[in-house]
Amino acid sequence: MNSSSSASMRNELDPDRMPKHVAIIMDGNGRWAKKRLLNRINGHEKGADAVRTIVRTARKLNIAALTLYAFSTENWQRPQPEISGLMLLLRRFLSSERQTLVDNEIRLNTIGQIDRLPQAVRENLEAVMDATANNKRMILNLALSYGARAEIVEMVKQIAAKARAGALDPAAITTETVADHLYTRGMPDVDLLIRTSGEMRISNFLLWQIAYSEIFFTPTLWPDFGEEEFVAILHDYQHRERRFGAIPST
């Protein structure tokens, strides 16, 4: 599809039915590299290009929040050379995209066990988050060293501590209380969850926040995922009827 066709598809989207929060499980970098007889880091490098494309597209479409599953708590089990390569790529991405985020009014945020990341990575993250702290047009959440079960355990600990201290009545705990103690506090729940590479599982990602998400699985490997397919998925999303447990409208 050429750029004019892609622009036409974007223009056909209904801005009033755009998802406020899109989350993506970016899967398939390793398989993309293996198919081309390359090493896995080459796949991750190509995957970083896809990240740039989707972030820019989301911004053009005025999507309020985009959460990308970049590194899970389970990914620490990968071989050390791959982990080191991923951390280096993350630092390079942050350095190269800092001005783009500033210019496009995108605020960088991170969710996960950030304290487990190497100090150099944390310093890069903090620098870019500080530089983009006042941006209000879009939030880019990078899920790093993230696991939804770990997030939920941390939420329970925080609420339990407040209840034990007498600062919170257990009988007053609501779904809003829970949401306010998650990494994504203050953000809308996920409207649309996308997973690339053909795998049909959630992989411990945003388990609370995706309770009523529309889910779209695509066989496309993440490095090949581009603006055209993203826009096509948004078209599909806009034609779904979101009922949140209610009966269909008549």
Side-chain angles (χ1 to χ4, degrees), residues 1-8 10 227-228:
M1 183 179 295
N2 58 40
S3 59
S4 61
S5 297
S6 179
S8 176
R10 289 200 312 269
E227 177 175 333
E228 295 83 2

Side-chain angles (χ1 to χ4, degrees), residues 60-178:
K60 284 188 289 189
L61 295 172
N62 293 315
I63 290 171
L66 175 66
T67 299
L68 302 178
Y69 205 2
F71 193 86
S72 73
T73 50
E74 291 74 26
N75 287 158
W76 290 114
Q77 302 173 41
R78 292 186 177 187
Q80 187 57 48
E82 182 175 355
I83 293 175
S84 297
L86 283 167
M87 294 299 128
L88 179 59
L89 280 175
L90 175 56
R91 293 183 63 194
R92 289 176 178 171
F93 176 84
L94 292 167
S95 297
S96 66
E97 297 304 299
R98 174 174 175 161
Q99 193 58 48
T100 298
L101 297 177
V102 171
D103 292 343
N104 287 278
E105 285 287 306
I106 300 171
R107 176 165 68 88
L108 180 68
N109 186 58
T110 58
I111 61 174
Q113 298 173 341
I114 308 306
D115 58 310
R116 296 183 65 183
L117 298 174
Q119 181 177 347
V121 174
R122 296 199 307 270
E123 290 173 353
N124 281 131
L125 281 168
E126 290 168 2
V128 179
M129 287 191 291
D130 287 345
T132 62
N134 295 322
N135 292 348
K136 301 184 184 305
R137 299 298 297 272
M138 188 177 101
I139 298 173
L140 171 60
N141 286 317
L142 294 183
L144 296 166
S145 190
Y146 174 86
R149 287 185 171 182
E151 177 183 26
I152 290 170
V153 168
E154 180 61 27
M155 173 271 296
V156 171
K157 288 179 179 179
Q158 290 180 29
I159 292 177
K162 289 183 179 180
R164 183 172 59 184
L168 178 64
D169 179 0
I173 295 173
T174 64
T175 56
E176 289 76 15
T177 308
V178 172

